């Protein structure tokens, strides 16, 4: 019976969509996607949309990628899932080894979950529990940056400083302390992003000096604060933060859920802070969280990489000292197989190198299109993330822009007055041109 209704009406009735005021779909129609093909999404009417934000930042190598499909088909014929407590399997071992190698074996222990918010919570729990196991249970608070986003479960909201996501749940949350964000847009006349970074690091030092005895960890989104509106800052801040965390005995958690997997121009954003992971020397975080792109955008998978020092805090005869956290689908073999196929593509296609040319072209095209636009400011880029702000944006700009962009064959979804591009790593020069031209047409219509 319900099949007689159009798909959009059925979706509105039966599916509660994320990050959505459902009533808005009275006027803004849902888009029903039938299939994916490389960076393109194709809707029920055959309309082609270039996926300019990688489907919420997860897709790396296009939709229905033949190599990832093949790896999944093979894995599916062998083992779809087995519990990871007491059992193990080749894909989870190989993935853990390869990720450890990518950190130069500094973060050699991988703990798995299914979504980003859970990875955040795992890192927070591990940090606090490791201090407790070391006889310092009073270190049980957390520190985050203003504007931080680390997920939306109740624990992750404690370190998420985005009022629209957090305020309604404030009574449930033990809110973390926040320190100023080193947002490069704060640079005054004659100042550089490095000056802003140093100023923010001074504020961090003041906070740590006062509260370090109760702080377990400082959590950051390295280089780009995504959900806050693609806020970018200089790596110098993270170098200083690492040194301060060492000095005040506070763990540093790098949430690379959005910025990892090549997004910022290196596999880990942190490589731009401490140099390639093959070099010797310190300067790395105590934890790295990964999700989003790690499975190539195919399956829910997240993980926390942690150091030997952290791991050793839990290694004992007592169960109470162990990290007992678990999820039913921890280390799912299909998700791990997709991740391994994605890592293969990074190597075989020299993706990080190829993205340099893609990012440069995206920068040139947007500079030419928007560089002198009277309503555009703070055009900024870090690797495969490019953003700008619309000056004097009126309410509803993001929705108007989104709708107009769809009419021009591109999927772009501004955050407030910030328009950003985060395309999959398979876009061609022609496709980038289509993306930027579509954005320009959408901006004109959204401002009209
Ligand atoms: C998306 C995101 C998360 C949360 O991941 P989910 O899978 O949506 O729970 C956490 N941190 C950052 C930086 C993110 O961008």
């Amino acid at each position: 019976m319900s099949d007689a209704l159009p798909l959009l009406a059925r979706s509105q009735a039966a599916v509660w969509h994320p990050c959505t005021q459902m009533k808005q779909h009275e006027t803004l129609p849902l888009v029903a996607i039938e299939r994916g093909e490389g960076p393109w999404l194709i809707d029920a009417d055959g309309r082609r949309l270039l996926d300019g934000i990688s489907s919420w930042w997860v897709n790396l190598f296009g939709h229905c990628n033949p190599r990832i499909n093949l790896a999944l088909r093979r894995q599916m014929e062998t083992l779809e899932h087995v519990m990871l407590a007491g059992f193990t399997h080749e894909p989870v071992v190989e993935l853990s080894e390869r990720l450890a190698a990518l950190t130069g074996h500094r973060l050699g222990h991988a703990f798995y979950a299914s979504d980003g918010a859970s990875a955040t919570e795992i890192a927070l729990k591990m940090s606090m529990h490791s201090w407790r196991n070391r006889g310092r249970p009073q270190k049980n608070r957390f520190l985050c940056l203003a504007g931080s986003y680390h997920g939306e479960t109740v624990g992750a909201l404690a370190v998420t400083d985005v009022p629209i996501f957090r305020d309604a749940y404030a009574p449930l949350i033990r809110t973390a302390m926040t320190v100023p964000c080193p947002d490069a847009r704060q640079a005054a006349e004659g100042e550089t992003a490095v000056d802003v970074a140093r100023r923010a690091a001074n504020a961090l030092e003041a906070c740590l000096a006062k509260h370090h005895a109760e702080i377990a960890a400082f959590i950051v989104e390295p280089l780009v604060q995504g959900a806050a509106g693609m806020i970018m800052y200089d790596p110098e801040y993270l170098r200083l933060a690492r040194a301060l965390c060492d000095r005040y005995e506070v763990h540093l958690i790098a949430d690379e859920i959005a910025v990892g997997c090549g997004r910022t121009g290196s596999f880990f954003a942190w490589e731009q802070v401490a140099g390639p992971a093959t070099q010797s020397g310190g300067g790395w975080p105590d934890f790295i969280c990964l999700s989003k792109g790690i499975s190539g955008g195919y399956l829910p998978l997240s993980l926390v990489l942690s150091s030997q020092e952290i791991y050793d805090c839990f290694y004992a005869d007592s169960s109470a000292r162990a990290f007992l956290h678990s999820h039913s689908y921890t280390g799912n073999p299909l998700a791990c197989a997709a991740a391994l196929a994605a890592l293969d593509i990074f190597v075989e296609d020299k993706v990080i190198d190829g993205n340099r040319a893609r990012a440069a072209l995206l920068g040139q095209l947007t500079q030419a299109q928007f560089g002198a636009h009277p309503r555009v400011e703070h055009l900024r880029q870090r690797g495969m993330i490019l953003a700008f702000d619309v000056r004097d944006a009126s309410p509803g700009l993001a929705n108007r822009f989104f709708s107009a962009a769809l009419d021009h064959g591109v999927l772009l979804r501004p955050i407030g007055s910030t328009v950003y591009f985060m395309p999959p790593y398979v876009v061609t020069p022609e496709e980038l041109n289509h993306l930027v031209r579509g954005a320009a047409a959408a901006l004109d219509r959204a401002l009209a």
Side-chain angles (χ1 to χ4, degrees):
M1 196 55 212
S2 65
D3 283 349
L5 282 171
L7 186 66
L8 303 188
R10 282 167 53 211
S11 192
Q12 261 168 258
V15 182
W16 200 334
H17 291 265
C19 204
T20 300
Q21 170 49 267
M22 289 301 291
K23 189 166 191 288
Q24 88 181 16
H25 285 310
E26 288 179 5
T27 51
L28 183 74
L30 284 159
V31 183
I33 297 300
E34 215 159 67
R35 61 198 176 85
E37 199 181 278
W40 296 90
L41 292 165
I42 297 141
D43 79 2
D45 303 324
R47 179 172 62 160
R48 292 169 67 80
L49 300 170
L50 187 62
D51 189 350
I53 58 166
S54 298
S55 287
W56 257 356
W57 324 347
V58 301
N59 191 283
L60 299 191
F61 303 119
H63 298 277
C64 293
N65 182 288
R67 282 184 274 178
I68 303 178
N69 286 2
L70 180 64
L72 278 174
R73 248 181 253 124
R74 286 195 176 137
Q75 185 58 43
M76 212 146 37
E77 298 299 334
T78 328
L79 176 69
E80 85 301 338
H81 184 68
V82 63
M83 62 192 284
L84 201 65
F87 296 85
T88 193
H89 50 81
E90 181 65 32
V92 79
V93 174
E94 192 184 336
L95 181 58
S96 308
E97 289 172 349
R98 286 175 69 173
L99 290 171
L102 286 170
T103 69
H105 298 283
R106 286 192 181 83
L107 301 172
H109 301 277
F111 194 99
Y112 290 86
S114 315
D115 57 74
S118 299
T120 294
E121 299 211 7
I122 287 163
L124 299 178
K125 284 177 69 177
M126 270 184 182
S127 168
M128 178 269 171
H129 195 166
S130 74
W131 288 119
R132 178 184 149 92
N133 282 352
R134 286 208 252 164
R136 299 180 69 180
Q138 68 282 12
K139 282 172 88 68
N140 60 36
R141 311 268 341 235
F142 299 102
L143 183 60
C144 63
L145 285 179
S148 58
Y149 181 94
H150 299 289
E152 292 171 55
T153 53
V154 171
L157 277 177
V159 288
T160 286
D161 184 39
V162 181
I164 186 89
F165 298 135
R166 197 187 59 195
D167 285 358
Y169 311 102
L172 306 180
I173 298 163
R174 184 158 175 256
T175 309
M177 294 178 237
T178 51
V179 283
C181 148
D183 185 348
R185 292 173 302 184
Q186 293 162 8
E189 192 76 16
E191 268 192 333
T192 64
V194 175
D195 296 325
V196 179
R198 296 205 172 116
R199 200 160 54 225
N202 288 340
L204 173 63
E205 166 147 39
C207 179
L208 289 175
K210 196 159 164 205
H211 297 291
H212 65 94
E214 46 178 329
I215 295 175
F218 176 41
I219 183 167
V220 283
E221 294 163 84
L223 304 181
V224 184
Q225 288 186 294
M230 302 302 153
I231 293 172
M232 300 190 187
Y233 61 91
D234 196 274
E236 177 69 4
Y237 180 76
L238 297 170
R239 269 176 230 120
L240 295 168
R242 176 67 275 184
L244 289 169
C245 286
D246 282 341
R247 170 133 43 99
Y248 287 101
E249 296 188 302
V250 166
H251 294 143
L252 204 156
I253 302 169
D255 175 352
E256 297 225 5
I257 290 166
V259 297
C261 302
R263 222 5 113 179
T264 64
S266 43
F267 186 83
F268 293 111
W270 205 273
E271 292 165 46
Q272 295 173 56
V273 177
T278 47
Q279 286 177 4
S280 57
W284 275 63
D286 301 281
F287 302 91
I288 290 181
C289 303
L290 287 179
S291 188
K292 293 206 163 91
I294 187 66
S295 71
Y298 264 66
L299 287 161
L301 178 67
S302 67
L303 59 104
V304 177
L305 299 171
S306 56
S307 67
Q308 189 63 38
E309 200 187 341
I310 298 289
Y311 182 79
D312 287 344
C313 293
F314 294 85
Y315 203 82
D317 293 320
S318 142
S319 287
R321 288 181 72 93
F323 191 63
L324 296 181
H325 188 103
S326 57
H327 294 284
S328 313
Y329 282 97
T330 300
N332 174 257
L334 289 168
C336 291
L340 287 168
L343 290 183
D344 284 342
I345 295 174
F346 270 104
V347 177
E348 288 162 16
D349 293 4
K350 298 191 169 61
V351 170
I352 298 291
D353 291 339
N355 277 355
R356 250 174 241 136
R358 270 186 203 96
L361 180 60
L362 179 61
Q364 285 155 21
L365 292 170
T366 43
Q367 184 60 42
Q369 193 66 246
F370 300 107
H373 195 293
R375 299 289 294 277
V376 168
E377 60 185 346
H378 300 307
L379 193 62
R380 55 194 182 273
Q381 182 175 18
R382 176 73 66 177
M384 292 294 281
I385 308 175
L386 189 143
F388 60 79
D389 302 332
V390 180
R391 198 176 286 162
D392 305 321
S394 55
L397 174 102
N399 279 346
R400 290 197 305 279
F401 184 102
F402 169 76
S403 297
L406 291 181
D407 291 340
H408 287 92
V410 301
L411 164 49
L412 288 170
R413 201 169 180 275
I415 301 170
S417 57
T418 300
V419 173
Y420 71 91
F421 304 88
M422 222 197 257
Y425 307 161
V426 292
V427 281
T428 62
E430 296 70 39
E431 287 162 346
L432 282 175
N433 205 20
H434 173 80
L435 185 63
V436 173
R437 293 227 311 265
L443 183 61
D444 283 346
R445 218 177 88 195
L447 290 174

